[in-house]
Every structure is written in structure tokens, then in C-alpha cells.
Amino acid sequence: YESLRPAPRELEDIDVLVIDLQDVGSRYYTFAYTAAFAIHACARAGVTALVLDRPNPIGGVNVEGNTVLLPELQSFVGEYPLAVRHGLTMGELCTLFNTSLRPVPELFASLEVAWMDGWKRSMDFGQTGLPWVLPSPNMPTPDTALVYPGGCLFEGTNLSEGRGTTRPFELVGAPFLDPHALADALNDEELPGVRFRPTVFQPTFHKWAGKACGGVQIHVTDGAVFPSLLAGMAVLKHARAQAPRQFQWRKEVYEFVGDRLAIDLLLGRHELRPLIEKKAALGVMEKTWTAQHREFLTQRKAALHYR
């Protein structure tokens, strides 16, 4: 885990470290922490960090999810207290990493950002006119990024999150699930901007490779109002309720951590998993982060470049 942070010797003879990474708008995505670790290393080494900004592919308006990460649940999928869907560009994120989220209060990096021309916070990726280049193998489309704030939670279970298909994170299921019952239960939640279609899919690799998985496809009908995190938690709630004995939380090592459940690392809190297990209403889950949400919006405001 420590090797993820650049060592001082690795920055010797470097005047400017250029950071050019496409983020996807979710707290779990490790590219942002790679950038943060690099900036903090530059601060220690006296090296300038230059960030080439890129659009947030799921827009810069909507913010969703809890922000307070318990210290014991910090990991490479949740290193700093960001909202699950943070609504920041990489340049704005790095500004935050160099101000209120820097690990050593007295240590600032010499940070420069090459800001974008023409980007607006309300834009989805399609409106930018830019081609989508996969930032990682299982992020094939901007649609994937839109469902990822909730879909990444599936990694913390024995459900297939659609890896090994052409629609990772949009497809979710397992051999022990009834797709029609699951889709009906999820559509009864009446979440805005989304419909759940019953389906059977067969991953070619990863979880349940070669096995027919009953589940749902998450169809986003209106990305401006779609609550991705709540949708992901709804899937976990109803999948576990349908098959409580077969459904399991992942216990294997996840992102270099082996002594805590992956789902707790992703959620960043201890109280959310029990609420899912108790089949709590989604509104009850959402209320657990209301106060944190307001605090993050205040902190986030200082880092906004695009108005």
C-alpha cells in the first residue's frame, strides 16, 4: 500500500510532474488518489505538479453520498473524505487535495492546473463532443461511469458486477437470483431516472465465469436525476432479501486490505451495511449522510473553478 506513494528518490531531477488522468466522478476510483499521492510527494520534494484538467464524465452538479470516512476504513478506494459522487473535475479534486485535504497542514505543493475552455458543470460527457477513451478496461462507456457510484458496491459481494460482459456495472446478478422478482422489487422502489430490466447474462471471466446469472440491467433514463448510489444500495438490499443464504459479502483481500469487509471500505461507514441487511427503506439510508453532505458542499465550494 505504501508503494502507491512516490518515494523522494523517484522525484529527483524532476522539475515538473505532469498529471494527465481521466477521472470518472466517483470516490472509489483510484486515479484520483494516485494524483493526490503524487501531489503530496511533490510538496515534500519541492517539485511543481501540473494537472491537465478533464471533464467529469457524469457532470459537475450532482453530489451524492456520505463523505465522512472512518479512519479504520480508509483505503485505496476511499483515502479522503469525498462524497461518493463528488461532482468535481480532476483539477478541482487536486486543488482540494492541496488545500483542505492535504495530510501535512503546513506542506503545500506548487500546484498548477491547465483548466479547460468551454466546459460547464451541467454537461454530461456526450455534450463535450470529445471521444470517450477507456480510462480503465471496465469503464467502456460514459454510461458505465454514470452507474459506477452505485455499481462499484457490487464488488463488495459475491454478485457479478458484469465484469466479463460488454456492460460492466450496468449488469448485476448471480446464478441464485430470480431476475423478474428482482426487477419487480427494484422498480417498485420508484427511483427517478432509472428502470431495471430483468435479464440473464453469462460472464466470460471474473465472478461466475461461464455461469448463467439471473439479474437486472440498470437502464438510466434521465442521468440528471438518477441517484446512482441509492440504486446500487437498492440492488444489494433486494438481492440479499431474495437469497439471504447464498448472498455473501466479499471477505477476500480488496485493494490491499484483508482485515475489513470490502463493502465497508466502499461505504466508508459501519452503519450502512446493517441497514442493507435489515432491508431498511432507502430514505433511511440516505438520511445517514444528510449532514455530511451539507458539510462537503461547503468544503467543495472553495475548490470549484467552473461556475
Side-chain angles (χ1 to χ4, degrees):
Y1 187 49
E2 288 303 316
S3 67
L4 298 171
R5 295 163 169 79
R9 58 180 174 76
E10 294 175 309
L11 296 176
E12 290 178 1
D13 302 321
I14 292 177
D15 297 315
V16 179
L17 180 68
V18 179
I19 298 171
D20 184 15
L21 294 170
Q22 175 64 61
D23 188 45
V24 299
S26 297
R27 181 176 72 201
Y28 329 109
Y29 210 55
T30 58
F31 287 24
Y33 303 124
T34 297
F37 295 161
I39 289 167
H40 298 153
C42 285
R44 293 191 296 272
V47 172
T48 295
L50 171 61
V51 180
L52 307 185
D53 205 14
R54 291 170 177 251
N56 184 323
I58 58 177
V61 175
N62 292 340
V63 176
E64 188 182 6
N66 60 308
T67 62
V68 178
L69 288 161
L70 296 176
E72 68 268 24
L73 295 178
Q74 286 179 293
S75 71
F76 201 35
V77 289
E79 184 69 28
Y80 299 107
L82 302 169
V84 172
R85 181 176 179 177
H86 50 68
L88 297 166
T89 69
M90 183 62 89
E92 292 172 333
L93 267 175
C94 290
T95 300
L96 204 59
F97 293 146
N98 196 40
T99 53
S100 59
L101 297 183
R102 64 187 188 280
V104 181
E106 64 274 13
L107 205 57
F108 285 90
S110 173
L111 177 68
E112 298 179 14
V113 180
W115 299 105
M116 297 176 284
D117 289 330
W119 187 76
K120 298 179 181 178
R121 307 207 74 84
S122 59
M123 285 181 170
D124 61 31
F125 196 82
Q127 292 172 312
T128 68
L130 298 172
W132 179 258
V133 179
L134 283 71
S136 53
N138 285 288
M139 196 60 59
T141 72
D143 292 336
T144 318
L146 191 55
V147 300
Y148 188 69
C152 188
L153 298 179
F154 310 148
E155 293 186 356
T157 74
N158 65 339
L159 302 180
S160 167
E161 62 271 15
R163 291 178 189 267
T165 76
T166 59
R167 289 289 179 179
F169 303 106
E170 294 178 67
L171 290 170
V172 55
F176 52 79
L177 291 178
D178 178 335
H180 292 278
L182 181 59
D184 287 345
L186 288 167
N187 286 321
D188 285 346
E189 293 280 3
E190 297 184 336
L191 290 171
V194 64
R195 292 293 294 174
F196 298 90
R197 181 178 71 86
T199 189
V200 176
F201 61 93
Q202 184 172 301
T204 59
F205 60 84
H206 209 251
K207 299 176 191 170
W208 305 112
K211 301 288 182 66
C213 294
V216 294
Q217 183 173 1
I218 303 170
H219 281 281
V220 179
T221 57
D222 186 348
V225 297
F226 168 57
S228 180
L229 179 60
L230 277 183
M233 296 178 79
V235 170
L236 297 185
K237 167 186 167 180
H238 289 291
R240 188 179 185 280
Q242 184 186 123
R245 293 188 177 183
Q246 295 100 323
F247 178 98
Q248 295 176 9
W249 300 114
R250 176 176 175 157
K251 297 182 176 65
E252 298 88 358
V253 173
Y254 182 68
E255 294 294 347
F256 312 100
V257 179
D259 59 348
R260 283 147 288 175
L261 289 177
I263 190 64
D264 291 343
L265 297 177
L266 290 164
L267 292 171
R269 305 289 296 175
H270 288 301
E271 70 268 25
L272 289 170
R273 176 171 48 87
L275 289 176
I276 294 170
E277 293 172 342
K278 293 174 184 176
K279 298 180 282 188
L282 296 182
V284 172
M285 299 182 196
E286 191 172 23
K287 285 181 180 177
T288 64
W289 64 68
T290 302
Q292 302 168 18
H293 183 89
R294 288 195 295 265
E295 292 171 8
F296 177 69
L297 288 178
T298 300
Q299 181 188 52
R300 171 182 177 269
K301 189 175 182 179
L304 298 183
H305 176 79
Y306 308 94
R307 300 294 173 178

